[in-house]
Amino acid sequence: ATPSSSANRNAILVSNRQKGNPLLKHIRNVRWTFADIVCDYLLGPNTCALYLSLRYHLLHPDYLYFRIRELQKNFRLRIILCHVDVEDVIKPLLEVTRTSLLHDCSLLCGWSLEECGRYLETVKVYENKPADLIQGQMDGDYLSRLNHALTAIRHVNKTDVVTLGSTFGSLSHVMDASMEDLARCPGIGERKVKRLYDAFHEPFKREV
Amino acid sequence: MVQFHEHIITELLEDTNGGLVVTSSGLGLHKLISSLFILHHHSQGCLLVLSATPPQKSSILRNYENDIQSQISGEVPNLPSEITFDLPANQRLALYTSGGILFITTRILIVDLLTHRLPTTAVAGLVILNAHSLSDTSTEAFIVRILRSTNRSLYVRAFSDRPHSMVSGFAKAERTLKCLFLRKLHLWPRFQVYVSQDLERDPPEVVDIRVPMSTYMIGIQKAVIEVMDACLKEMRKTNKVDVEDLTVENGLFKSFDEIVKRQLDPIWHTLGKRTKQLVSDLKTLRKLLDYLVRYDAVTYLKYLDSLRASESFRSVWIFAESSYKIFEYAKKRVYHFGRTDSGKLGLSKTVSTKKRKLNDNKKDEDQSTSTETMVVLEEVLEEPPKWKVLLDVLMEIQEERDKQASSGEEKDHLGDGDDNGIVLVACKDEYSCMQLEDCITNGSQKVMREEWEKYLLSKVQLQALPKRNAKKAKEPKGFGVLDGVVALSPGKKAEVSSISKQEHDALLAAASAVSKRINKDIVGEDDNQKHVDVGGSVKRKGKWKKKKGSAGENSNNDVAPEDDAMEGGCLNEVFLRKHDLGLDAESSRETKKLPPVVFYALESDKKILDILKPSIIIAYHPDIAFVREVEMYKAENPSRKVKVYFLFYEESTEVQKFEASVRRENGAFESLIRQKSLMMIPVDQDGRCLGLDSSNEPQSVISQNHVTRKAGGRREAEKEMQVIVDMREFMSTLPNVLHQKGMRIIPVTLEVGDYILSPLICAERKSISDLFVSFASGRLYHQVEMMSRYYRIPVLLIEFSQDKSFSFQSASEIGDDVAPNSIISKLSLLVLHFPRLRIIWSRSLHATAEIFASLKSNQDEPDEVKAIRVGVPSEEGVVENDVRAENYNTSAVEMLRRLPGVTDSNYRAIMDGCKSLAELAMLPMERLAELMGGQKAAKMLREFLDAKYPTLL
């Protein structure tokens, strides 16, 4: 069910069923066009999305199941884009979660039409993007890396990192500092001193 | 034992179920608990003590040991022991059944209860400290529920000495009682009649000293309060917070953050950046007020510098009008910077200035000038006014004693004869203690000078700061000032805006002079030891000071005017001249005798009064809890004469805060008394408390479904559902709630996932803040990858907090474009890369429990043994019954994993090859390369560890 005209490859294909969905006017960063498809949105050759408003789900609890069944096994990634538009979410969301989990769909929730639209855009734009962004390869500058490392210790904040850095001169000196030297840093109280010292000097693995 | 303690205990013992005791702070809770220990007999079963902080633990223990020594009973007392993670299971069992008193962490206890390693009948009772931090989802409540369900005779005695925390939130006291299945609330405020009788029978003698603040301190205080007020006004404009709570007085307390947070949390995600910033600004400002009266001028300036460097450009307060004054005054307390038209008033004036101005805060006035550029950097180094007062008080005490000694009447006059004449000085923190001690032994000017030199040095980032054990660290490159100056010039531009270029140069020059002298001294000391004969320098401890002592002599001769540094030469001489004077001042002080002084940091929370038995106490930083402790101490030792000096800064927030804390505590008690009269506690027929019973909850969605789907609503004999939970998850409250739902919790150490629901379903739980952090660190990607590798249905559980809004961001924050840093983008990428990943969006803990139950309903139960093996590197094997989560230094591991070059594949090897982060910091490249499996990674790490921290200037 994938029309492969090259002009449409970079566009989101929208099912005719979605005509009149106010969500469509929030898809602005990517081109989209109506097409005769079985899913609601076709985001790539193997990626599709179904749109579900929780309010609609409350009226038609079986709708989602029938829509998923229609998809058969034709897609690698099947997204259920759930618009959270009711106040009392727990029960309907539980049902939607259960249905999507048992029928191999990935559930994404948006709280506004803008947010839902943005998910569609993003999935399309990132279709072929590598995962670097979420693999934590930060090539940040020295200061942000130092920040990131030292704030692994609870209650250590950015100001403390500056104080520690400027007092001891380098991370290895910070790690080797004595309790007394740590205590001499303004803004670092008794408990933080202990926390820092323990983090540096207690063994990674305690002997059993 | 004071009488009202006996009253408390009698009342508490009346109900066999136990009760919750709330006292004013400082009323000797540790003594109360140790008295309870004495009443415990091992035939009753064991007594478990939960949630005690380490200082609490040690003071309870110390007190208990004293108590049993004074007892005449012939029986061998059972000393409390501590159950820690490293005790093997069989030894733990032996302790449980011994009937002794056991300190235990909630995590070990809950795991042992769930695995049935602890027979519930062996437990006589629980003592829970810090009851104010409990909630119905906390692990303590979980423990009590399990124990109560099988052991009807169990007693639970909970304690808190923070009444104001007991009234935060809706009906907190009542809820706490219910979650512990208790009925009785015992309130013991300071104004309670027994308490006040005991404490006021023979109160200690009090001397209240009001120290005027210096002009600049007043200026800073005023400016901070102005900024604070401005921030509060801004906050009011947002219309998001109850205006009544937004007062400067409230702003002085830590609990202010809680007030604001509680109100803003439900809508936190919808708040604009500005409002969020305001909240954190108020916190910063509170610290500034606090530190103003705690730190000396130089340290304060240093803190401000760090603050300025770390605050984001967004912060509101830094740009408020009055903030300028804060920085300006703070600087003026340390040095003046200005340009003069003639170079004449340079050196010659130095000494005369000092002589002329001998009033308190300008004592140490001095100047350094550059005759060429006509730039004057004049040191002020204002001493905290309390320093002088403290010295005066100490000298006065000594004089009085001398007088008494000469009149020969002191021994019989001073009471029991065990008076050791110790003067106890109580400060807020360890740092103040060290500094004051230094002040008394070395003179206040010297201390200020040291702080100043340290400050200057940190400006040029001299890595060779004096180290206790310099030998093991390899010398960093760029030793010496010049390198420092050169290295820093490109980076400094960002900061220059806030501080003028010339001023910056002058500071650098001053710093270079200091460091040069130190360099010379090091050389000098190596070459010949002849300089050591300088007066006072010998007895001082520490390399750093010694170096300076010798500087007094040698550099006068061999420091010629420098050609490299800008004003180096002149500055150098000025410094030295001053230094000599410092020594003179010190030697003159030595003639005066001071009484023996002990410094005590209130923060350390050690109960020191009973050990030291001081006769004179100086409250350098007055604190309400400490005042009560002194009162208690006096009440327990009625024959001892106790004199207390309070040092307050006049008209300061310090006074305000002290007085407000009394008011606040009384207010809290009044509210608790009101609440107590209105409480509704359900009780069963035997008079036992029912607590928060899960059977009262509305039927869950699934069970409703069960009714309709199963023919005729017939209920099958319900099979108990099982969930395998990672040991680390017991920090969170979800296991508790799952258990409330009737699931069996099996705690194990999992390598992959947090919750195993079935052989197919494995879930990783992320709270919202966790989610953001672990996306940033790449941890989540790795975790999902592992789950996908080992389980058919990997699940990411995104758990929102019940009292916070159910959404990621406000609509206004979404923006117009697809942005790589948005959470939407990250989630989309995750979904694209792991199409098999299922996401659960849960509104709250309870919703999560519902969802878990629903997902499990048509699945097999998970296999514990298999789950443990998953993802464990095969060579490591699985240890029977281990509590591995307890055995990791989690902060250290987390920090290690965040270091550059460290990856998921090599961090285990690093942990095996070196013990701690401190050791890692010392490892040479070759060894690192071995551990990390590559030169490149090792180099990256080594360079990061040794990289010079860029300077502030």
Side-chain angles (χ1 to χ4, degrees):
Chain A
T2 39
S4 51
S5 110
S6 61
N8 283 343
R9 199 173 294 151
N10 294 323
I12 296 177
L13 297 188
V14 181
S15 158
N16 291 318
R17 286 166 181 265
Q18 289 289 310
K19 270 183 185 155
N21 189 342
L23 168 65
L24 291 173
K25 70 169 186 281
H26 295 287
I27 306 180
R28 282 172 308 208
N29 292 305
V30 183
R31 279 189 312 112
W32 61 270
T33 169
F34 284 117
D36 190 17
I37 49 174
V38 65
C39 56
D40 287 341
Y41 299 90
L42 191 66
L43 302 166
N46 294 308
T47 306
C48 73
L50 292 176
Y51 171 80
L52 180 73
S53 137
L54 271 191
R55 196 177 296 162
Y56 187 84
H57 171 79
L58 284 172
L59 297 171
H60 307 277
D62 290 336
Y63 167 80
L64 180 63
Y65 171 70
F66 288 114
R67 290 302 306 280
I68 293 176
R69 210 173 54 174
E70 275 175 15
L71 297 177
Q72 297 175 328
K73 294 277 172 203
N74 291 326
F75 301 94
R76 197 174 76 98
L77 172 60
R78 320 199 287 181
I79 293 171
I80 291 176
L81 183 58
C82 178
H83 183 194
V84 182
D85 51 359
V86 292
E87 274 300 307
D88 193 7
V89 294
I90 294 187
K91 185 166 171 285
L93 196 56
L94 167 70
E95 290 163 8
V96 172
T97 305
R98 189 182 150 82
T99 310
S100 49
L101 198 135
L102 295 180
H103 298 94
D104 303 328
C105 297
S106 306
L107 178 64
L108 291 174
C109 287
W111 279 262
S112 61
L113 289 169
E114 288 93 326
E115 201 173 344
C116 294
R118 179 58 44 81
Y119 271 117
L120 292 176
E121 291 172 352
T122 313
V123 173
K124 182 67 194 170
V125 173
Y126 284 178
E127 197 180 349
N128 298 312
K129 198 176 169 65
D132 304 355
L133 208 58
I134 51 172
Q135 278 177 316
Q137 280 141 358
M138 345 190 299
D139 39 13
D141 55 316
Y142 174 71
L143 282 185
S144 42
R145 301 205 74 149
L146 187 68
N147 239 322
H148 182 63
L150 280 170
T151 46
I153 301 163
R154 280 209 303 157
H155 298 294
V156 171
N157 60 37
K158 277 192 241 160
T159 308
D160 299 333
V161 175
V162 175
T163 308
L164 290 170
S166 60
T167 309
F168 298 103
S170 74
L171 183 59
S172 49
H173 283 153
V174 173
M175 292 204 225
D176 193 38
S178 69
M179 269 219 198
E180 199 185 322
D181 286 340
L182 289 171
R184 280 183 187 276
C185 295
I188 299 191
E190 180 99 2
R191 273 199 258 169
K192 234 182 253 177
V193 168
K194 176 118 185 27
R195 236 179 230 128
L196 283 164
Y197 190 84
D198 283 354
F200 299 147
H201 293 267
E202 288 280 300
F204 291 118
K205 292 191 209 168
R206 301 183 176 111
E207 297 300 322
V208 177
Chain B
M1 192 161 156
V2 282
Q3 244 168 355
F4 75 88
H5 274 180
E6 284 173 30
H7 284 291
I8 298 179
I9 289 182
T10 329
E11 256 192 29
L12 186 59
L13 293 183
E14 265 168 26
D15 191 336
T16 48
N17 253 337
L20 168 61
V21 179
V22 182
T23 71
S24 287
S25 55
L27 290 187
L29 215 49
H30 60 289
K31 290 184 184 160
L32 197 65
I33 290 165
S34 75
S35 316
L36 274 179
F37 284 2
I38 301 227
L39 297 176
H40 177 77
H41 192 269
H42 56 82
S43 61
Q44 297 164 313
C46 68
L47 172 60
L48 300 175
V49 189
L50 287 176
S51 324
T53 62
Q56 279 173 333
K57 207 179 293 173
S58 65
S59 47
I60 291 175
L61 281 176
R62 187 166 346 97
N63 215 61
Y64 180 70
E65 278 160 28
N66 281 346
D67 284 353
I68 49 176
Q69 270 170 18
S70 59
Q71 268 194 338
I72 327 150
S73 114
E75 216 173 322
V76 186
N78 40 355
L79 275 177
S81 25
E82 192 170 351
I83 295 198
T84 50
F85 48 84
D86 48 5
L87 275 183
N90 56 341
Q91 279 186 35
R92 290 211 293 271
L93 179 65
L95 280 172
Y96 290 138
T97 48
S98 71
I101 299 165
L102 305 170
F103 286 93
I104 189 168
T105 68
T106 51
R107 259 166 88 197
I108 300 182
L109 182 51
I110 191 65
V111 167
D112 277 353
L113 278 173
L114 288 170
T115 50
H116 305 292
R117 254 177 251 153
L118 165 58
T120 53
T121 47
V123 183
L126 288 180
V127 166
I128 302 177
L129 280 84
N130 303 314
H132 47 265
S133 49
L134 291 182
S135 76
D136 43 354
T137 48
S138 56
T139 313
E140 285 87 347
F142 192 4
I143 289 168
V144 174
R145 198 173 63 240
I146 294 185
L147 280 171
R148 281 261 193 238
S149 65
T150 49
N151 181 349
R152 304 283 281 170
S153 60
L154 179 89
Y155 65 80
V156 175
R157 291 169 188 152
F159 299 88
S160 166
D161 57 358
R162 298 223 198 124
H164 53 269
S165 314
M166 281 309 292
V167 290
S168 65
F170 173 71
K172 170 102 178 249
E174 186 175 335
R175 292 160 67 104
T176 310
L177 282 177
K178 279 184 186 165
C179 80
L180 298 177
F181 299 81
L182 291 175
R183 286 191 307 163
K184 286 276 167 63
L185 174 63
H186 308 281
L187 299 175
W188 290 87
R190 167 69 177 78
F191 57 75
Q192 206 272 352
V193 61
Y194 292 131
V195 181
S196 53
Q197 261 176 14
D198 274 353
L199 297 187
E200 284 159 23
R201 192 172 299 129
D202 185 17
E205 188 186 340
V206 174
V207 183
D208 193 343
I209 302 176
R210 302 282 161 141
V211 186
M213 291 200 281
S214 72
T215 330
Y216 288 133
M217 285 173 83
I218 295 172
I220 294 174
Q221 175 171 304
K222 192 160 157 271
V224 177
I225 288 180
E226 265 168 34
V227 183
M228 211 164 176
D229 204 40
C231 285
L232 286 170
K233 283 210 180 87
E234 279 291 304
M235 195 87 144
R236 269 179 220 135
K237 274 190 222 153
T238 59
N239 285 327
K240 299 265 167 66
V241 192
D242 189 359
V243 187
E244 227 174 279
D245 290 330
L246 293 183
T247 59
V248 171
E249 182 180 299
N250 273 337
L252 297 179
F253 292 101
K254 253 194 192 143
S255 58
F256 178 76
D257 298 341
E258 278 166 44
I259 298 176
V260 174
K261 229 180 129 199
R262 205 173 44 243
Q263 296 190 31
L264 290 182
D265 258 356
I267 48 171
W268 188 255
H269 288 88
T270 64
L271 293 180
K273 280 189 180 128
R274 201 176 155 80
T275 315
K276 289 181 190 171
Q277 188 62 48
L278 275 173
V279 175
S280 86
D281 281 354
L282 282 167
K283 200 170 158 188
T284 312
L285 289 167
R286 192 188 57 231
K287 277 196 195 146
L288 282 183
L289 274 183
D290 188 25
Y291 293 163
L292 175 67
V293 290
R294 261 165 62 187
Y295 289 159
D296 63 279
V298 181
T299 313
Y300 195 67
L301 183 63
K302 191 173 169 196
Y303 183 74
L304 277 176
D305 280 346
S306 306
L307 203 57
R308 186 158 49 188
S310 62
E311 286 282 89
S312 71
F313 55 91
R314 256 187 259 114
S315 63
V316 185
W317 75 274
I318 280 202
F319 296 104
E321 219 171 298
S322 311
S323 302
Y324 170 73
K325 281 190 223 152
I326 303 177
F327 288 97
E328 195 55 33
Y329 290 152
K331 207 188 285 170
K332 281 190 179 152
R333 291 174 75 197
V334 180
Y335 62 89
H336 278 300
F337 175 77
R339 263 184 283 184
T340 45
D341 291 327
S342 72
K344 284 174 207 155
L345 69 330
L347 298 174
S348 55
K349 204 181 158 190
T350 309
V351 181
S352 57
T353 320
K354 172 167 268 162
K355 295 250 161 80
R356 217 180 43 220
K357 300 188 176 176
L358 265 173
N359 45 6
D360 286 0
N361 39 19
K362 303 225 166 159
K363 208 189 272 175
D364 200 23
E365 185 127 342
D366 230 310
Q367 311 188 313
S368 331
T369 63
S370 149
T371 40
E372 280 162 42
T373 58
M374 311 201 183
V375 168
V376 187
L377 186 69
E378 187 185 0
E379 295 171 19
V380 179
L381 304 186
E382 175 184 299
E383 286 171 27
K386 270 191 189 178
W387 285 9
K388 189 176 175 308
V389 177
L390 177 68
L391 261 177
D392 288 348
V393 170
L394 287 176
M395 281 191 288
E396 187 190 300
I397 293 168
Q398 187 58 35
E399 268 169 37
E400 233 165 75
R401 284 193 180 162
D402 287 347
K403 232 183 274 167
Q404 276 175 350
S406 58
S407 59
E409 54 172 344
E410 99 274 30
K411 274 292 169 252
D412 29 56
H413 184 82
L414 276 175
D416 302 338
D418 62 340
D419 182 86
N420 45 21
I422 284 179
V423 177
L424 181 74
V425 179
C427 312
K428 183 100 174 88
D429 50 330
E430 202 71 51
Y431 178 62
S432 312
C433 288
M434 291 192 283
Q435 211 177 35
L436 285 176
E437 198 167 359
D438 220 12
C439 241
I440 284 177
T441 42
N442 296 331
S444 48
Q445 294 167 30
K446 178 142 294 165
V447 176
M448 285 307 284
R449 177 140 310 282
E450 270 171 34
E451 294 293 347
W452 169 236
E453 287 178 0
K454 259 194 274 174
Y455 173 76
L456 286 175
L457 287 177
S458 77
K459 290 269 169 191
V460 286
Q461 187 44 54
L462 213 75
Q463 287 206 337
L465 267 184
K467 297 232 56 169
R468 200 152 314 307
N469 30 18
K471 57 170 195 318
K472 56 178 174 171
K474 52 176 200 176
E475 283 306 315
K477 48 194 176 202
F479 184 89
V481 192
L482 273 180
D483 312 47
V485 175
V486 174
L488 128 170
S489 40
K492 76 189 175 200
K493 278 169 198 127
E495 270 303 314
V496 169
S497 56
S498 55
I499 190 164
S500 81
K501 176 84 175 76
Q502 276 178 321
E503 190 173 347
H504 165 240
D505 287 345
L507 279 175
L508 275 188
S512 69
V514 172
S515 61
K516 199 160 296 155
R517 209 189 56 230
I518 290 166
N519 279 348
K520 285 242 162 62
D521 292 346
I522 294 169
V523 177
E525 269 183 11
D526 288 347
D527 288 351
N528 42 3
Q529 294 288 316
K530 67 176 176 190
H531 298 304
V532 193
D533 56 346
V534 182
S537 70
V538 184
K539 69 173 194 336
R540 270 172 276 133
K541 51 176 188 211
K543 255 188 198 165
W544 175 220
K545 295 161 194 162
K546 241 182 248 160
K547 278 173 211 157
K548 261 195 309 159
S550 54
E553 298 215 333
N554 69 354
S555 32
N556 265 339
N557 322 327
D558 53 25
V559 175
E562 303 291 21
D563 47 3
D564 43 0
M566 286 150 281
E567 297 95 7
C570 315
L571 282 172
N572 223 346
E573 257 177 71
V574 178
F575 268 105
L576 294 167
R577 205 163 295 188
K578 221 170 327 168
H579 198 73
D580 293 339
L581 285 169
L583 286 178
D584 292 346
E586 194 206 344
S587 50
S588 69
R589 179 164 290 125
E590 273 175 52
T591 55
K592 286 171 203 146
K593 251 177 69 191
L594 290 179
V597 185
V598 175
F599 292 90
Y600 162 58
L602 295 170
E603 265 182 359
S604 68
D605 203 22
K606 290 181 192 116
K607 307 288 179 236
I608 203 169
L609 288 171
D610 291 325
I611 304 167
L612 284 176
K613 306 204 179 299
S615 51
I616 294 176
I617 297 161
I618 301 177
Y620 188 83
H621 295 131
D623 171 83
I624 187 75
F626 184 67
V627 173
R628 266 70 173 275
E629 275 167 37
V630 173
E631 285 181 321
M632 287 285 293
Y633 166 65
K634 172 67 182 155
E636 285 174 341
N637 303 283
S639 59
R640 184 181 297 275
K641 263 189 75 174
V642 177
K643 193 170 180 183
V644 189
Y645 292 85
F646 286 101
L647 300 192
F648 280 111
Y649 279 119
E650 203 169 10
E651 316 248 308
S652 68
T653 51
E654 195 181 30
V655 183
Q656 224 182 328
K657 196 171 165 181
F658 185 81
E659 286 162 359
S661 60
V662 179
R663 271 200 302 282
R664 217 160 55 106
E665 196 185 84
N666 289 346
F669 268 114
E670 277 156 25
S671 148
L672 278 174
I673 291 168
R674 237 183 354 263
Q675 280 182 34
K676 187 179 172 181
S677 65
L678 299 172
M679 274 193 301
M680 308 253 291
I681 308 273
V683 175
D684 72 4
Q685 281 167 326
D686 304 335
R688 290 180 197 287
C689 177
L690 289 173
L692 297 166
D693 203 335
S694 50
S695 63
N696 294 342
E697 284 177 12
Q699 264 198 322
S700 64
V701 182
I702 359 137
S703 48
Q704 280 167 8
N705 285 348
H706 274 297
V707 175
T708 50
R709 281 185 193 159
K710 281 184 189 134
R714 174 170 45 97
R715 289 187 92 157
E716 282 175 44
E718 254 187 58
K719 181 178 59 133
E720 198 183 26
M721 284 188 175
Q722 291 183 4
V723 180
I724 295 175
V725 181
D726 182 41
M727 217 70 100
R728 280 161 282 220
E729 276 294 300
F730 284 89
M731 303 274 249
S732 85
T733 48
L734 184 56
N736 181 4
V737 176
L738 291 176
H739 184 263
Q740 270 178 342
K741 270 259 137 38
M743 287 181 217
R744 196 175 147 222
I745 310 294
I746 305 170
V748 298
T749 302
L750 292 176
E751 200 64 24
V752 177
D754 293 331
Y755 295 85
I756 313 293
L757 304 184
S758 79
L760 307 181
I761 305 180
C762 166
E764 178 73 38
R765 188 185 66 98
K766 292 283 176 213
S767 68
I768 302 304
S769 55
D770 277 355
L771 183 73
F772 282 82
V773 173
S774 53
F775 258 133
S777 65
R779 187 84 170 270
L780 181 60
Y781 182 91
H782 172 74
Q783 285 168 329
V784 172
E785 199 177 26
M786 292 293 277
M787 284 199 297
S788 311
R789 191 176 302 160
Y790 293 106
Y791 290 92
R792 260 272 305 285
I793 310 181
V795 173
L796 167 64
L797 165 65
I798 303 178
E799 192 171 83
F800 291 77
S801 149
Q802 192 143 29
D803 39 333
K804 290 185 187 168
S805 70
F806 183 45
S807 74
F808 277 143
Q809 50 205 333
S810 55
S812 61
E813 271 181 297
I814 291 178
D816 290 330
D817 304 305
V818 176
N821 283 324
S822 131
I823 187 72
I824 295 181
S825 305
K826 292 180 173 173
L827 265 175
S828 302
L829 261 186
L830 192 69
V831 165
L832 278 165
H833 282 268
F834 299 101
R836 259 175 46 225
L837 177 70
R838 303 290 160 253
I839 303 179
I840 296 178
W841 304 69
S842 170
R843 179 69 191 92
S844 67
L845 280 174
H846 294 275
T848 307
E850 293 268 340
I851 294 173
F852 275 11
S854 154
L855 293 180
K856 282 178 60 60
S857 58
N858 59 355
Q859 299 259 333
D860 291 333
E861 294 302 334
D863 184 344
E864 180 183 342
V865 181
K866 266 190 204 146
I868 301 175
R869 296 252 158 80
V870 162
V872 178
S874 52
E875 74 270 22
E876 201 162 313
V878 178
V879 190
E880 208 59 35
N881 280 339
D882 81 330
V883 197
R884 231 181 324 152
E886 292 280 359
N887 296 340
Y888 281 111
N889 179 356
T890 39
S891 323
V893 177
E894 184 59 36
M895 181 163 159
L896 173 71
R897 297 182 65 166
R898 291 184 183 191
L899 294 175
V902 179
T903 62
D904 285 316
S905 52
N906 66 19
Y907 85 96
R908 284 164 182 285
I910 299 178
M911 286 185 352
D912 289 336
C914 101
K915 242 176 65 200
S916 65
L917 284 172
E919 195 183 315
L920 182 76
M922 297 298 148
L923 287 187
M925 267 283 281
E926 307 78 61
R927 179 81 182 115
L928 281 179
E930 243 168 72
L931 291 176
M932 300 174 74
Q935 281 290 331
K936 198 172 152 233
K939 187 154 177 275
M940 202 196 262
L941 178 60
R942 194 67 252 170
E943 274 174 4
F944 184 74
L945 288 173
D946 293 331
K948 269 177 118 180
Y949 187 84
T951 54
L952 293 173
L953 268 175

